[in-house]
Amino acid sequence: MCTEIVIFGEMLWDMLPSGKQPGGAPMNVAIHLKNFGLDPAFISRVGNDDLGVELLDYLTGQGLSTQWIQTGQTHLTGIVKVNLTDKTEVTYKIVQPVAWDYIQVTPANKKQVQEADVFVYGTLAVRSQQSKETLFELLHEAKLKVFDVNIRPPHFDRATTELLLREANIVKMNEHELATVADWYGISPDNETRMKFLSEKFSLQMVIVTLGAEGAKVLYQDEITIQEGYEVEVQDTIGSGDSFLAMFLKEYLSGTNISEALRKACAVGAIVATYQGATPSVSESELDHFLTINH
């Protein structure tokens, strides 16, 4: 399968009690896509510092090209202070400003987006004017646009989030993000009603909502597909949603039906939660074994 996927957004270090881990939802999605056999292009920016060099080395070690990663002289590589007091509801303190707040449009990355089949983006990278302008310019060049919402208070606002929803074809969010957006319009506290409202309001092809341990739901062509969650021993949930999205996109784009794509995506998200950190490599055999014993 030669689907071209471009991912835009933050790359950073999660500062955990146990030490630092590479992170940032867009980078995590890119790494999981790579682990699942695709070759995504990742557009981001690091600082000209040791942490930036380490992140680039990490990406290279994961087999990802760093050709779309810019290096800035004036701002440091991004870091996030992570609070793991509640393993299932991780909270973040995201330092600002940092290098990924200043991602630039270049003729090369614009061409890359024009030629790609899919463009994946989120909310966090638009907290600053420079990366926001860059994202909207690239969105105008994109074909299939996947909005991985990832609301990180206080780094979002309603007006910008609505603009990002209007640009999207496919939206993936968790149930808390769905509630945040639905509350703006006073929509009843029922996930399926909220999903249908968003789909109609923003002319979306598909709405994907993750429900943590409870699984996930997809609204596609007026039908809701539901996948129950898998029971696992959770280490932390960092990266679970990112691995879910990567697997779902891989399966959906290769023609797998929604139900099976959702089943595999939920399984991968559950497996990742049994590891520490955002980007453990989940092999096809590990996934097959997990699905066999959790049939």
Side-chain angles (χ1 to χ4, degrees), residues 181-200:
V181 176
D183 286 350
W184 295 339
Y185 309 102
I187 304 305
S188 77
D190 164 68
N191 283 340
E192 295 186 12
T193 304
R194 289 169 163 179
M195 290 165 76
K196 286 172 179 167
F197 171 81
L198 280 193
S199 179
E200 286 166 20

Side-chain angles (χ1 to χ4, degrees), residues 206-222:
M206 188 187 298
V207 179
I208 306 163
V209 176
T210 58
L211 308 167
E214 303 303 310
K217 295 183 178 185
V218 173
L219 172 62
Y220 179 60
Q221 294 177 342
D222 291 331

